[in-house]
Amino acid sequence: AALMAEQGLVARRKRRRRGTTRRDCSARKAPDALRRDFRPPATPNMRWVGDLTEIPTDQGKLYLAAILDLHSRRCVGFAMGVHHDTALARAALCMAIAIRGGSVAGVLFHTDQGSEYTGKIFAQACRSAGVTQSMGRTGSALDNAVAEAFNSTLEWELLRQRRFATREQARRAAAAWIDEYNTERRHSTNGMLSPVAYEQAHAAQHDDNQATAPPGRSAA
């Protein structure tokens, strides 16, 4: 603080992020099965979290729906569009399913109670994929803290630094940022590895355990 004062430097303040949650009081809500347990599961595709945020441009708002795997904090699926609706949330889910090989039955997917997640289209997509929905309480950002933190980081590192003339420009920049987040950003929960590097190390260790397991027994 003293060194900054000597040089006339002032820290850049974070502004409170504006939420994009739109509730649909008539829609079906899911119970909170996660209960703020954000500890990394032992394997991928056990617990996902998701949220939507907005990206301002001179052409108007662009909305981003993102899904993170708590195992590695990897953004396994995302979609961007001009409409804040169930179709956008479903598109992110479809991408996550494809990235994870097409079969994710048994995943617990936790979100807020926004209408894009409580709508029939999204609920049907989850049921078809064998995904169980979980939702935090209304107005409680801490119930979905990991997804909220991801959006806050995006806003701090990308949106505060650039102004986008078009939605296409914002779309490309956001996609590039997510790719860097997955491959370069180190996380303390990953032993200071990036999400992709952590998953690769975990998979390699699993293969080694299987190779050294005694005949007739599988490695734990």
Side-chain angles (χ1 to χ4, degrees):
L3 291 173
M4 290 180 65
E6 290 176 4
Q7 300 178 63
L9 300 177
V10 179
R12 192 157 45 95
R13 290 188 175 185
K14 285 187 177 182
R15 288 187 292 177
R16 187 175 181 180
R17 194 174 70 84
R18 295 172 58 186
T20 58
T21 302
R22 300 174 184 173
R23 296 185 62 202
D24 181 353
C25 296
S26 64
R28 172 187 172 276
K29 310 301 187 299
D32 184 355
L34 193 61
R35 297 184 178 276
R36 297 190 183 181
D37 184 2
F38 301 113
R39 291 174 298 177
T43 60
N45 304 330
M46 294 182 67
R47 294 180 177 182
W48 292 352
V49 295
D51 196 13
L52 270 77
T53 192
E54 63 183 43
I55 302 174
T57 79
D58 291 346
Q59 285 186 332
K61 294 177 181 178
L62 178 70
Y63 292 101
L64 166 68
I67 299 175
L68 307 179
D69 190 326
L70 288 181
H71 168 70
S72 62
R73 298 299 199 267
R74 180 179 179 178
C75 180
V76 292
F78 67 91
M80 287 175 272
V82 297
H83 299 295
H84 183 286
D85 55 18
T86 55
L88 183 64
R90 181 179 62 177
L93 177 65
C94 289
M95 178 180 178
I97 293 171
I99 289 293
R100 289 312 205 188
S103 178
V104 296
V107 168
L108 178 71
F109 184 36
H110 184 79
T111 65
D112 58 26
Q113 294 187 21
S115 59
E116 62 278 352
Y117 297 116
T118 59
K120 293 181 179 179
I121 293 176
F122 187 78
Q124 178 59 47
C126 286
R127 285 194 297 270
S128 297
V131 172
T132 300
Q133 286 188 267
S134 169
M135 295 179 185
R137 294 168 296 177
T138 302
S140 178
L142 292 179
D143 284 356
N144 199 17
V146 172
E148 292 280 351
F150 175 83
N151 287 338
S152 293
T153 302
L154 169 72
E155 181 177 9
W156 179 251
E157 294 187 354
L158 181 65
L159 307 187
R160 297 294 183 194
Q161 306 299 317
R162 296 183 58 181
R163 177 173 179 174
F164 301 107
T166 66
R167 290 191 179 99
E168 181 60 26
Q169 188 182 61
R171 188 189 303 272
R172 292 177 180 274
W177 183 88
I178 291 173
D179 181 66
E180 182 178 352
Y181 177 93
N182 283 336
T183 59
E184 302 295 335
R185 175 174 294 278
R186 298 181 180 186
H187 290 262
S188 58
T189 55
N190 295 346
M192 299 312 295
L193 295 175
S194 70
V196 170
Y198 179 79
E199 290 189 355
Q200 291 173 344
H202 180 272
Q205 182 179 20
H206 176 75
D207 291 342
D208 289 343
N209 290 341
Q210 291 290 339
T212 57
R217 295 181 58 185
S218 60

